[in-house]
Amino acid sequence: MAQKTVLVTGGAGYIGSHVIIELIQDGFDIVVLDNLVNASMESIRRVEKIAGKKIPTYSVDLLDKNAVDDVFKKHKISSVIHLAGLKAVGESCELPLLYYKTNVGGTTNLLEVMEANGVFNIVFSSSATVYGLPQFLPLTEDHPVGGCTNPYGKTKFMIEQILSDLCTSNKKWNVAVLRYFNPVGAHKSGTIGEDPSGVPNNLMPFMGQVAVGRRASLTVYGSDYDTPDGTGVRDYIHVVDLALGHVAAVHKLNEQCGLKVLFLQNGQNKSPTVYNLGTGQGVSVLDMVKAFEKASGKKIPYELAERRLGDIASCYGDPSLAAKELNWTATRGLDEMCEDLWRWQSQNPQGYKGAEGSSQ
Ligand code: NAD
Ligand code: UD1
């Protein structure tokens, strides 16, 4: 069977590097486009080592449309997994224009180039943040969306709408929107993982840095929520499970593409398919502290503090649609998430920066 080539935007980043490995293991050829604003070429070098093959990688900004087009001219791309973008909630409140320009403008550039090159399959990285304050739990894909309180979340919501309008306008488009819950953990090898620049905003990278001695203690934001132990509850998903969800989504698009050729000749349109990628399990901050202490053998000192602005008490999803339609389910539990995070963190206490030849 001829191999299909998938372009992964943001492929040098945390989730992208894991997605590439699973796609290669499934037989796909990969091309990476990343401007390296929040990543290092070292992650690609390590992915190449794991995969045992070279990955064509272009240091290109999505805002440079001609350079994006050049990548499409050089490779026969069949599908795109679009992960590139900026993702820091706090920064998005300080620099909203940068977020709208990069995330929304970068995506419209990409879509225009795709259309011009006859590529209509795209998997988009959205987030459970589009649900805003949950009206019910677990969150299903038909929960109302758009109640986001920060520019980052609003860019995800806007891009979902753009993709929906695109499907309405042209029946050739095949779109899968993946709403991630909280990705954590790392590849089993311990050689790739999350490497935030500066002080980590998210719980697990912060905890990892406490365990490895880079930070003195964890601040637990809020202990008076209406949750079993008063701390915030989230749906943590192993990044490798998340990556496998992308492989399943690409297969689904390829399948749909074939079906469209057969059945959608007469002007019928198809909306994007939207899937929650989570475990369906709500886990508290203190549950995570316990699980990580067990996995690492390290004590995690913590202080209980005020709630963080913009946080919600509980957020977890119903992943049954992805199970039914993508034949995908998360299988890695909390212990494995923490063990794999600890392997990465303990083997790379400074992230990729400690590596010889790293670009950062
Ligand atoms: P990441 O920052 O590690 O990866 C994003 C990548 O995009 C980086 O490698 C960065 O260099 C690249 N990039 C940014 N702007 C670019 C541009 N203009 N042109 C080309 N490349 C650019 O983040 P991640 O955690 O791997 O997230 C990947 C995607 O998943 C993002 O779109 C993010 O919003 C989304 N997401 C992440 C989470 C999470 O918790 N990590 C949750 C929900 C959704
Ligand atoms: C954050 C983002 C959200 C994004 C999601 C993706 C914010 C406000 N929200 O969500 O937009 O879609 O990541 O994964 O940044 N916590 C602590 N101490 C810390 C860090 C976090 O107690 O140092 C708590 C939080 O209050 C929360 C839980 O840990 O209860 C998880 O926090 P985090 O990892 O930042 O993820 P989210 O808040 O779910």
Side-chain angles (χ1 to χ4, degrees):
M1 191 190 81
Q3 284 190 322
K4 302 262 189 184
T5 301
V6 179
L7 173 72
V8 182
T9 76
Y14 170 47
I15 298 170
S17 53
H18 291 84
V19 167
I20 296 168
I21 292 172
E22 299 310 319
L23 284 168
I24 291 176
Q25 284 175 358
D26 203 64
F28 289 96
D29 285 331
I30 302 299
V31 175
V32 168
L33 182 159
D34 196 307
N35 69 353
L36 303 177
V37 69
N38 195 36
S40 152
M41 267 308 284
E42 179 62 16
S43 70
I44 296 294
R45 284 193 277 273
R46 294 185 183 192
V47 169
E48 287 176 335
K49 210 165 168 192
I50 295 167
K53 66 189 283 190
K54 287 299 254 184
I55 300 164
T57 302
Y58 295 88
S59 176
V60 161
D61 195 313
L62 281 177
L63 296 176
D64 182 349
K65 209 169 146 187
N66 290 333
V68 177
D69 191 61
D70 284 345
V71 176
F72 278 79
K73 295 285 184 290
K74 285 197 181 106
H75 299 271
K76 198 171 170 346
I77 289 159
S78 56
S79 303
V80 175
I81 297 187
H82 177 35
L83 299 114
L86 300 174
K87 62 164 187 177
V89 172
E91 185 184 60
S92 79
C93 298
E94 286 156 27
L95 301 169
L97 291 179
L98 177 69
Y99 272 68
Y100 289 117
K101 186 170 72 174
T102 307
N103 291 6
V104 181
T107 302
T108 54
N109 274 354
L110 173 69
L111 294 168
E112 282 176 352
V113 172
M114 286 177 68
E115 199 159 43
N117 286 278
V119 180
F120 294 99
N121 286 358
I122 183 167
V123 176
F124 173 61
S125 294
S126 190
S127 166
T129 195
V130 298
Y131 293 121
L133 187 66
Q135 294 173 16
F136 56 81
L137 288 167
L139 292 155
T140 51
E141 287 82 354
D142 56 8
H143 182 285
V145 289
C148 318
T149 53
N150 59 76
Y152 163 71
K154 288 179 192 171
T155 67
K156 292 291 175 194
F157 174 61
M158 285 177 188
I159 296 166
E160 286 198 9
Q161 288 184 309
I162 291 168
L163 291 168
S164 173
D165 290 342
L166 208 54
C167 287
T168 307
S169 73
N170 183 343
K171 67 182 180 203
K172 286 186 182 158
W173 282 98
N174 278 305
V175 178
V177 168
L178 305 181
R179 292 183 183 148
Y180 311 160
F181 283 76
N182 292 52
V184 297
H187 187 260
K188 270 273 171 282
S189 62
T191 60
I192 61 165
E194 189 169 10
D195 182 21
S197 49
V199 182
N201 296 312
N202 298 115
L203 178 67
M204 293 316 286
F206 198 102
M207 218 187 293
Q209 292 192 6
V210 171
V212 91
R214 277 174 72 179
R215 317 252 162 226
S217 72
L218 172 74
T219 304
V220 175
Y221 296 127
S223 53
D224 58 350
Y225 283 113
D226 183 16
T227 59
D229 64 17
T231 66
V233 164
R234 298 289 183 274
D235 184 343
Y236 297 94
I237 173 169
H238 196 297
V239 67
V240 173
D241 277 329
L242 189 78
L244 288 166
H246 292 71
V247 177
V250 174
H251 281 299
K252 175 86 178 169
L253 292 187
N254 286 338
E255 212 178 274
Q256 267 175 212
C257 196
L259 284 178
K260 275 192 184 184
V261 172
L262 288 176
F263 300 118
L264 297 183
Q265 306 283 12
N266 302 323
Q268 261 179 284
N269 295 306
K270 193 155 192 334
S271 307
T273 41
V274 181
Y275 299 105
N276 283 339
L277 294 187
T279 64
Q281 305 296 316
V283 172
S284 77
V285 175
L286 295 182
D287 289 336
M288 274 317 240
V289 170
K290 272 187 228 122
F292 195 69
E293 285 183 334
K294 183 175 151 209
S296 64
K298 302 274 177 190
K299 191 89 198 126
I300 305 292
Y302 66 84
E303 298 105 42
L304 301 178
E306 292 298 301
R307 297 178 180 192
R308 183 172 65 178
L309 200 69
D311 268 0
I312 52 180
S314 297
C315 177
Y316 51 95
D318 175 350
S320 57
L321 190 66
K324 187 168 153 232
E325 294 191 3
L326 298 180
N327 198 20
W328 170 90
T329 311
T331 60
R332 291 158 180 80
L334 218 51
D335 288 345
E336 198 169 346
M337 295 176 205
C338 293
E339 283 158 15
D340 292 344
L341 168 59
W342 177 237
R343 193 174 304 106
W344 153 253
Q345 189 72 70
S346 54
Q347 289 178 15
N348 304 272
Q350 302 299 323
Y352 292 116
K353 289 168 202 72
E356 202 189 331
S358 167
S359 70
Q360 291 199 340

